[in-house]
Every structure is written in structure tokens, then in C-alpha cells.
Amino acid sequence: MNNLIEIDSLTFKRGERTIYDNISLQIKEGQTTAVMGPSGIGKTTLLKLIGGQLSPTSGDIKFRGESIPNMKRSRLFNVRRQMSMLFQSGALFTDMTVFDNIAFPIREHTNLSEEFIRTVVLMKLQAVGLRGAADLMPSELSGGMARRAALARSIALDPELIMYDEPFAGQDPISMGVLVKLIKQLNNALKLTSVVVTHDVKEVMSIADYVYILAEKKIIGSGTPEEIRQSDSALVQQFLKGQADGPVPFHYPAKEITAEFLGA
Amino acid sequence: MISRKTEIWVGLFVALAIAATLMLALNVASKGSVGQGETYSLFAKFDNIGGLKVRSSVKVGGVTIGRVESIELDPEDFTPVVKLSISQQYNLFPETSSVSILTSGLLGEQYIGFQPGFSIDGIENLKEGDYIADTKSALVLEDLIGQFLFSRDSE
Amino acid sequence: MEALAKLGRSTLDKFSALGRATFVLLGAVMSVPQLKNIPLTIKQIYVVGVQSLSIIIVSGLFIGMVMALQGYTILVDYGAEGSLGPMVALSLLRELGPVVTALLFAGRAGSALTAEIGLMKATEQLSSLEMMAVDPLRRIVAPRLWAGVISMPMLAIIFSAVGILGGHLVGVDWLGVDAGSYWSIMQSTVEWNEDVLNGFIKSIVFAFVVTWIAIFKGYDSIPTSEGISAATTQTVVYSSLAVLGLDFVLTAIMFGIE
């Protein structure tokens, strides 16, 4: 199986702070790859790097063997038409109806007739179960529905790669179940390549083909969900089991408590 | 995707702006005919122009027919030469016409009063570049007072 | 030493902000014009222009009325109340029309533009456009910039016209200045090129600057509640200062040297 995306010894710094220190990973075509890790380690940043919205400090990111950071803007825009991203907030355009939101990328990039666009949009909405909500404004949707609408928009142009940014964060169990089912279905039906960035272990283990675990600026574990479960790394186990203390300390770095209170 | 209401409002907005522009053009700013349309130039020499300025108006019986284009000093006899630009639609003034510098009201600004002369056979009309021979200078208040005192002394 | 470093750092920050602002402006102005953008621009003219209309008309009316009232009490002492017309018209056309419109526009439409774009950034709508291979500079910024540049001069003209009518209302209808002299002395004094067009040019310049600042402040805002509220305040402060400063420069160029 081919690698759709290859990340090669990537280092990324934001100001003085290092977010990634020399990481490498591959995303295989047609597979669902999960990237897991604790909050605040810049998982969203990874997706933005793949999408070319940020440039790495060093290292390279390749899409079908073509280096994204070195692309010209016009070429990058062409490549982006084959990608799409589901943002954590959904990022629906608040001044348009759900229908227009989903029609938006089609109208921007094609010259199809309104009638045809209507058919396509309603089909996409049907796929996420929101055909009845076509005429609502995004503000009238619940969080889970907004994310489903955003999902419909991100598959509007039938991309090859979808990047999900925390798709399950802040969802109730039912919406979470719906989203897991949808992502699975869409991948199987459309033969999509997916990257799911998340910290919801249980859900993502059920849909991922391959898992990377990021922590402390590095990849600390990778493999199929089964291999990950068997991993003997303390860090991986702490993350999977959700233990409060372990290699990732409970306390934010501070001086010794005795020193703080006793002024020693 | 843009609603009919929006379109109508924007249309109304543009119409309002056009109406305002028209109002400024027709009612507020000086009409295009003077100083903007076709004009011809006349010259007049005065002994003293008083407070006359460039762009002061030239009037016949109160009707503005042109403006002062420039004011210069004749390098030979050191008298002010005023260049008037007169609207082309008033191009039939006879050579015997006279100009004087007048004041609108006691404190108002000064303008040129143009007095058309009699047209008899053999007298041509003023044309581009002509000098108007008959001119009366501005009244200068100090001179008037001086004259008044002088005439009283001599009594 | 510390103060020096601080000064240097803030200067560098200012320059880099100016650079980013230029980049945003160029990106918006240079973006390939598309037919699809025309409806977007019209929609924005509705938002920034039509919706500012009421405040512009009301302010214009009152400013014209106040000027007539103030002017009358001074002019009548010299028996020169006939000059009320040109006084009101010239102040409006040359100064108050463009300047007050720009200040009101910055407060009414500029702050809204900043907040809107800032919120789009905070809710990842701008990022999501980029990921859809749609340039937000073209899709979001350019229509708003053009709408501002088109709307504000129109608003300024409406402001001046309404102000002159307001002056007429107070001067002629209430205080008894002769209507004929109000209009005729105004006509003989106000010049189309000198006064009306110069005022119009001023308001185009102001429109450009105010809209640019508003858009850039939104685009460059820190996408948090504090960030957006700071950016909105900065839009109003910076554009007001820019308008007043530029007004002096433009006035000096246009009317200074005779």
C-alpha cells in the first residue's frame, strides 16, 4: 500500500517553544490513521502542517511524494482540493444556511448547475442524516449536528484525504456513536484516507487501522490498535488507561513543595 | 444567494448618493457654465485693485459672467493687470465697455462690475486678448478719508 | 539598556505589523477578480453602507443645524448672515463631511468588520476556507475592502447634502435668513472642482485607510475574546487618529498653497 502522506524528521517550533522534535510518520492510502496524545501537545498543529497552513522549522512533509512546504501557492491550493479538514468547532459559515454551507465548496470550485448542486448537497446531507435540516442556520444546530453538517461539507468535493480534528471532543455518547459510525461508513464507502487526531482512546481504537501516540514532542508509540494495547511502554499504558500520574506527571513543573512553603 | 431586499436597499443607497451628488452639482456648487465651459480672456489695467482676488466674480448688473483669472503687475508701468475669463456665451460686448472694481455691501468682497458700452456702427466687439480701456479703480477707504480732509482744509 | 531594547522591540513589532498589513492589502487588491465576487461585494455594501445610512443622515442633519445656529449668531452681528449658506456648505464639503463620516464609519462599520473577521478567525472559518482551497483574502477580505471604499464616499456626499439641508432648515426656515441668498451666495462661493471634488477625494482616501485598518485588525487579531475586543478598540482608535492626521496632510496639499 502506498503512503499518501510522509512526514520526514519534522521539527516545528513556535517561537522559542518546540512543538515537535524530529518526528517521522506515514499515512497509508485508504487507511484510517489515528494520532493520539494528551491535550496541548499541538495535534491540531500537525494537521495544519499537513494542510500547508504552517511551515515546519525543519524536515519535510510529502503528499504523494510532493513536498508540501516547498509548493507554490497555486499548486498548494490545487493539492488542498484533494484534502479536507473537519475542524474541532465545525467552522460552519455562520452567515449561510446548512445547505449553502455544503454547497459552498462546490460552488467555489466547479461551475455545475444549481440543480445538480442541489442533488449533490442533499445526497451529502442524507449521508449524515441531516437532509431535513438543510434550511436551518448553523446557530440552530446542536453541537453534534453542527459537526455532522461540517462532515458533510468536508466530503462535498469527494476528497481523497480527510483530517479530523478532535471529532469526538465534547460530544454526548449518542452523537459520539453517530460520528464513529459515520466516519467508519464514509471511509468504507468512499475509500477515503483519514487522519484522526484525538484523545478519545476508546472510540478511535475502534475505527483506526494504525495508531501513533504523541507525547513530549515525540512519537512514543505506534502500531495497530492491538499492538498498542500490548505495548509495554509505561507512557503508552498511562495514556490508554487514563492514569492520573505516571511518566506524564500530574503536577505542572514547579519547584519542590517543601521549598515553596518552608522557604528553604 | 443575495436576497432581493439587499439588492433593493443597495439600489436605494446608490440612488440616494446620486441624488445628493446632483444636489451638490446643481444647487450648491457654482454652475458649470462659468469658469468651466468655454471662456475667452480680456485684460484690464487698474491703478489700484484694492482687495480684488483671483477668482473674484465679474458681473453685469449682478449677473456673474466670468471670473478673475490672474492678477499681475505690468513690468513697464507698474500698474496691475487683471486677466478676466468671460464665459463664451457672453461674447458680444462692444469695445466701449467699461469695468470698475466694486464692493458688495459695506464689508463684502470685491468684484468687477462690467458696464457694457453702446454699440454703434464701426465699433467692434471685444474679443480674446483685448484690453478694456475704460477702467475705474477700487475705492480705498484711506484715500477717501484723505480726500475728504483735504477738501475740508481747502474750504 | 532595558528601555532601549523595549523601544527597539516595539519598533520592530510595528514594522512587522505594517508588513503584514501590506501583505493583507495586496492579497486582497491583487486577488484575481471573479464574477462571483460582485454579489459578495453588493452584500457587503448593504452591510457597511446601507446599514450606516441612518446614523449618517441623522448626524449630518444635526451637524448642519448646529452649524447654522452657531454661524448665524456670529454672522448676524456683522450683518453678514447671507454668508451662512457658504459657511455651512464649505465646512461640510471640505472638512466635516469626509471627516465626520469617516469617524462614524470607523465606529459603526469598521468595528463591526474587525469583530466579524476576528470571530471568523476564532471559529476557524478562515482556516477552513484555506483548507477548502479558497483564499480568504479573496473571498472574505476583498469584498469587504471594496464595499468600504465604495460606500464611504457615497455616505460622505449624502452627509454633506443632508447637512446643507439641515442648515437651510435652521437658517432659513427658523432664523429667517433669505432663502435666495442662502442658495445663491453658496452657489457663487462653492466651486465644483475646488470644494466638492477635493472633499470627495478626501473621503476616498479615508475610506481606504479606515477599511484597511478594520480588516487588518480583524485578520491579525488574537483569536480569543480579549484579542477580538482589543482589536475592535484598536480599529476605532487607529482609524480615528489616521483620519484626523491624514485630514491635515490632505488639507495642506489641497487648500494650503494657493
Side-chain angles (χ1 to χ4, degrees):
Chain A
M1 215 174 295
N2 292 327
N3 289 334
L4 186 66
I5 289 174
E6 277 176 59
I7 294 179
D8 187 21
S9 49
L10 166 87
T11 300
F12 181 75
K13 287 183 182 162
R14 183 167 279 159
E16 295 293 300
R17 217 178 109 218
T18 306
I19 311 277
Y20 297 121
D21 185 14
N22 196 17
I23 62 166
S24 299
L25 57 86
Q26 291 83 38
I27 289 156
K28 294 203 165 56
E29 205 161 348
Q31 280 198 344
T32 301
T33 306
V35 179
M36 294 198 284
S39 326
I41 57 147
K43 296 188 296 291
T44 310
T45 309
L46 184 68
L47 297 186
K48 290 195 167 172
L49 282 162
I50 295 176
Q53 289 189 305
L54 299 171
S55 299
T57 313
S58 69
D60 204 358
I61 302 161
K62 286 184 180 139
F63 181 85
R64 286 194 196 291
E66 203 176 343
S67 165
I68 288 179
N70 296 328
M71 272 179 203
K72 281 203 183 119
R73 199 168 163 78
S74 53
R75 175 71 191 137
L76 181 63
F77 269 52
N78 263 327
V79 169
R80 277 187 191 159
R81 291 188 197 188
Q82 303 162 37
M83 306 178 176
S84 92
M85 183 155 163
L86 181 66
F87 285 85
Q88 191 170 352
S89 61
L92 291 170
F93 302 123
T94 40
D95 56 343
M96 305 178 187
T97 62
V98 171
F99 181 94
D100 287 332
N101 259 288
I102 290 148
F104 179 83
I106 312 178
R107 285 183 179 140
E108 281 292 322
H109 290 308
T110 65
N111 287 315
L112 299 172
S113 70
E114 268 310 298
E115 206 173 326
F116 188 79
I117 291 178
R118 192 183 138 76
T119 318
V120 174
V121 171
L122 290 181
M123 271 163 53
K124 302 290 176 192
L125 278 171
Q126 173 74 14
V128 298
L130 287 179
R131 191 162 44 86
D135 293 327
L136 297 182
M137 295 302 280
S139 54
E140 297 170 288
L141 300 178
S142 72
M145 279 157 78
R147 212 161 290 182
R148 275 149 72 190
L151 183 57
R153 186 178 67 181
S154 50
I155 55 167
L157 283 175
D158 297 322
E160 296 181 40
L161 170 72
I162 298 196
M163 297 183 272
Y164 300 91
D165 185 8
E166 300 282 6
F168 313 115
Q171 299 289 313
D172 63 73
I174 301 177
S175 332
M176 217 186 255
V178 171
L179 281 165
V180 169
K181 177 172 158 272
L182 274 176
I183 294 174
K184 227 189 241 175
Q185 268 183 355
L186 287 174
N187 285 352
N188 293 339
L190 303 170
K191 301 273 175 287
L192 289 173
T193 309
S194 310
V195 183
V196 185
V197 150
T198 183
H199 49 239
D200 292 287
V201 177
K202 193 172 118 272
E203 284 71 26
V204 83
M205 292 293 245
S206 70
I207 52 172
D209 296 309
Y210 203 83
V211 178
Y212 287 96
I213 298 184
L214 279 173
E216 292 170 343
K217 305 163 196 168
K218 288 186 181 303
I219 293 173
I220 56 160
S222 66
T224 60
E226 205 43 47
E227 288 166 13
I228 291 282
R229 280 195 196 98
Q230 310 290 330
S231 163
D232 50 6
S233 154
L235 202 53
V236 172
Q237 287 305 326
Q238 185 201 358
F239 186 73
L240 289 185
K241 296 188 178 130
Q243 287 152 342
D245 212 349
V248 175
F250 167 70
H251 291 288
Y252 192 81
K255 55 183 165 175
E256 280 298 308
I257 189 162
T258 46
E260 182 101 50
F261 290 123
L262 302 176
Chain B
M1 286 161 289
I2 96 172
S3 71
R4 185 124 192 92
K5 191 183 120 211
T6 311
E7 282 176 344
I8 291 172
W9 270 107
V10 172
L12 207 67
F13 177 41
V14 174
L16 202 59
I18 292 173
T21 314
L22 281 181
M23 178 193 145
L24 293 184
L26 299 179
N27 275 337
V28 175
S30 51
K31 297 216 171 69
S33 57
V34 174
Q36 288 222 312
E38 291 278 294
T39 58
Y40 65 103
S41 303
L42 295 177
F43 294 90
K45 272 189 178 177
F46 294 95
D47 293 333
N48 191 324
I49 58 161
L52 195 72
K53 290 186 183 65
V54 172
R55 296 207 310 147
S56 296
S57 45
V58 180
K59 294 180 180 180
V60 175
V63 178
T64 306
I65 58 160
R67 290 194 182 279
V68 172
E69 176 122 348
S70 65
I71 299 171
E72 273 155 22
L73 207 58
D74 188 312
E76 283 164 21
D77 55 9
F78 305 113
T79 53
V81 178
V82 176
K83 185 180 177 191
L84 313 173
S85 82
I86 310 290
S87 172
Q88 195 61 255
Q89 73 183 103
Y90 308 108
N91 58 356
L92 293 171
F93 294 116
E95 274 185 333
T96 51
S97 302
S98 64
V99 286
S100 42
I101 295 177
L102 303 173
T103 310
S104 55
L106 196 58
L107 295 162
E109 60 178 25
Q110 292 194 302
Y111 66 96
I112 291 194
F114 191 103
Q115 190 69 48
F118 298 103
S119 62
I120 318 165
D121 282 345
I123 295 189
E124 288 182 25
N125 287 334
L126 287 166
K127 48 186 193 303
E128 170 75 33
D130 281 356
Y131 272 77
I132 300 168
D134 188 0
T135 64
K136 283 193 204 70
S137 288
L139 285 178
V140 178
L141 207 56
E142 290 86 337
D143 290 352
L144 272 182
I145 294 168
Q147 271 172 21
F148 173 69
L149 291 176
F150 181 74
S151 61
R152 210 179 58 162
D153 280 356
S154 63
E155 264 172 22
Chain C
M1 217 52 191
E2 183 55 30
L4 209 61
K6 219 172 176 178
L7 180 69
R9 192 162 55 236
S10 83
T11 313
L12 286 178
D13 281 351
K14 290 276 181 304
F15 272 106
S16 90
L18 192 65
R20 289 196 305 274
T22 313
F23 188 74
V24 168
L25 182 70
L26 288 181
V29 175
M30 298 295 179
S31 64
V32 191
Q34 285 189 355
L35 272 178
K36 286 174 186 167
N37 274 11
I38 293 175
L40 290 174
T41 309
I42 291 179
K43 193 175 164 197
Q44 288 305 319
I45 291 180
Y46 177 78
V47 174
V48 299
V50 175
Q51 294 192 350
S52 308
L53 210 48
S54 54
I55 190 174
I56 290 293
I57 289 178
V58 171
S59 324
L61 190 68
F62 277 112
I63 285 188
M65 286 164 66
V66 166
M67 281 209 314
L69 205 53
Q70 292 280 15
Y72 181 81
T73 52
I74 294 168
L75 291 174
V76 79
D77 288 346
Y78 300 95
E81 67 267 28
S83 303
L84 192 63
M87 193 208 87
V88 171
L90 285 182
S91 338
L92 280 168
L93 289 169
R94 289 184 176 183
E95 288 298 331
L96 292 173
V99 172
V100 176
T101 305
L103 296 179
L104 290 172
F105 188 88
R108 167 68 185 75
S111 57
L113 274 180
T114 305
E116 187 193 16
I117 295 179
L119 268 173
M120 281 186 174
K121 188 174 179 183
T123 54
E124 297 176 315
Q125 293 184 43
L126 294 183
S127 281
S128 122
L129 276 172
E130 282 214 5
M131 285 308 298
M132 281 184 222
V134 174
D135 186 355
L137 290 179
R138 177 181 68 71
R139 182 64 174 62
I140 301 291
V141 171
R144 283 167 176 74
L145 182 71
W146 292 125
V149 173
I150 293 169
S151 298
M152 204 205 284
M154 302 209 302
L155 289 172
I157 285 182
I158 293 172
F159 183 95
S160 298
V162 170
I164 290 169
L165 292 177
H168 184 272
L169 187 69
V170 169
V172 176
D173 297 343
W174 295 357
L175 299 173
V177 174
D178 179 50
S181 68
Y182 185 83
W183 291 114
S184 64
I185 301 183
M186 190 192 298
Q187 267 182 37
S188 64
T189 316
V190 178
E191 290 275 336
W192 179 260
N193 285 340
E194 188 86 352
D195 302 314
V196 182
L197 280 189
N198 273 346
F200 189 69
I201 292 170
K202 267 188 185 180
S203 74
I204 291 179
V205 175
F206 295 161
F208 205 73
V209 170
V210 170
T211 322
W212 181 20
I213 291 177
I215 285 169
F216 171 68
K217 280 289 160 196
Y219 201 78
D220 204 49
S221 63
I222 302 155
T224 60
S225 344
E226 299 87 17
I228 292 170
S229 102
T232 313
T233 314
Q234 281 173 3
T235 293
V236 177
V237 173
Y238 287 3
S239 24
S240 305
L241 290 179
V243 164
L244 296 173
L246 269 175
D247 183 47
F248 175 74
V249 175
L250 289 174
T251 307
I253 294 172
M254 288 169 173
F255 303 104
I257 311 139
E258 182 75 19

